[in-house]
Amino acid sequence: MSIRRQSSSRAPLLVAVVAGALVVGGCSSNSDKAATSTTAAPATTSAAATSTGPAAAAAVTVEVKDMKFSPADITVKAGDTVTWKFDDRAPHAVQGIGDTALGINSPIIHKGEWSHTFTTPGTYRYLCPLHPDMKGTVTVQ
């Protein structure tokens, strides 16, 4: 009775597959963007500040209803999160206008919410790409 060993020709293939997965999984943008986005955030408006320390980041909500952003123009502080709450008869999205607002790009949403955290002061204009007459501005101080 003899025991045959399988050739190790599969080992280089396995190493290549694992290495490829690590390279692809490790690829992410590490660039400094003007703002970062998230997909889930509280839908309430709140701001917390204490007299003994710095103010906590605030969450501001923009209602997307009746074919408009309400309020359309808001002012927040750097580090604040804006949540767009979608509840309309038609689907909408939030898309930045211009170079400074390129990171603002929500999926198309009918009901639900999408959030974006603004980290750099500036003026960020946006619109609904499905309904370009729907526009808004976030001013970050």
Side-chain angles (χ1 to χ4, degrees), residues 7-19:
S7 70
S8 60
S9 63
R10 291 186 181 172
L13 177 62
L14 179 60
V15 170
V17 169
V18 171

Side-chain angles (χ1 to χ4, degrees), residues 44-60 77 80:
T44 58
T45 301
S46 64
T50 62
S51 59
T52 59
V60 178
K77 294 188 184 313
D80 287 354

Side-chain angles (χ1 to χ4, degrees), residues 4-140:
R4 290 182 17 181
R5 290 185 90 182
Q6 281 188 326
S7 70
S8 60
S9 63
R10 291 186 181 172
L13 177 62
L14 179 60
V15 170
V17 169
V18 171
L22 289 173
V23 169
V24 171
C27 289
S28 65
S29 175
N30 217 7
S31 63
D32 293 334
K33 289 188 175 182
T36 58
S37 61
T38 60
T39 56
T44 58
T45 301
S46 64
T50 62
S51 59
T52 59
V60 178
T61 300
V62 175
E63 299 287 333
V64 185
K65 192 171 185 176
D66 298 326
M67 300 298 285
K68 64 182 176 182
F69 296 111
S70 182
D73 301 317
I74 59 173
T75 300
V76 299
K77 294 188 184 313
D80 287 354
T81 298
V82 177
T83 298
W84 285 266
K85 186 174 180 182
F86 298 84
D87 187 15
D88 206 351
R89 64 187 178 272
H92 300 288
V94 177
Q95 183 175 33
I97 303 170
D99 292 343
T100 59
L102 283 178
I104 303 171
N105 195 14
S106 80
I108 296 171
I109 301 173
H110 187 244
K111 304 268 186 211
E113 56 187 44
W114 180 78
S115 298
H116 190 84
T117 300
F118 292 86
T119 59
T120 303
T123 300
Y124 299 85
R125 297 178 309 128
Y126 65 91
L127 56 72
C128 172
L130 303 173
H131 309 100
D133 55 322
M134 292 176 58
K135 295 180 181 178
T137 303
V138 178
T139 303
V140 182

